[in-house]
Amino acid sequence: MPGRCVVVMAKRPREGAVKTRLGADLGEEAACRLYEAFLFDTLDACAAADATTMVAFTPATEAAWFRHLAPGLLLSAQPEGSFGERLRAAMQAAFGAGFSTVAVIGSDVPHLRSATIDAGLDIAARGTAALAPTADGGYCLLALGAPRPGLFEDIDWSSGRELAQTIQRIRDSELDFEMLTETFDIDTLADLRRLARAIAEGEATCRRTADTLRLLDLELLELEPVP
């Protein structure tokens, strides 16, 4: 039976190159450590899903680092270009590898559950697009049962309009879609506070991120230390 693939959009964790808005509040080292934890938790969720994992990584010169990070996983270097062009290339890499159903996800939603990935792939297997919206007007998961490169064109990335514009592209292509439960990605200190609270209350499970939060100065989060 043709396989399912979840593609993780990932950056090599380097100070000053990842989670810059968090870095402005927490410092670049802390932001980098957090992003690396986000990435590990994301890969753990993918490993628990009923799908093969592919990492679409950047910079393209970091293949060896990602091969060491995720031995045995499929790798695809992100091309230069807009985020839409890189998303389209990641999707195409998975479909080009022979997978019949593909979900692409971000690496800054460490609390994303494997069940959500599976649900999106199940929907896509029926010929319907699946989207997991985020609270900032974007989305953290898009699953498709066939390549649809037009879905990534003319999108105002990082504007808060990505979800609405993508839905319009889906409608323009006469493709049905279903929405998964809304969540949030981690871009700002407010997002991190929300995640820390969800971990403390048992609503989110992301072990590496929780461990990293324990090691950081949590006074900025205005929360009790994560148990």
Side-chain angles (χ1 to χ4, degrees), residues 37 41 199 206-215 226-227:
D41 282 327
I199 293 171
C206 36
R207 181 180 59 83
R208 293 293 291 264
T209 301
D211 288 346
T212 302
L213 285 171
R214 288 190 188 98
L215 298 175
V226 178

Side-chain angles (χ1 to χ4, degrees), residues 43 46 50 85-86 95 142 147 173 180 184:
L43 292 175
C46 292
D50 183 19
E85 290 168 335
R86 289 182 280 128
F95 282 119
L142 171 63
S173 67
L180 300 168
F184 60 99

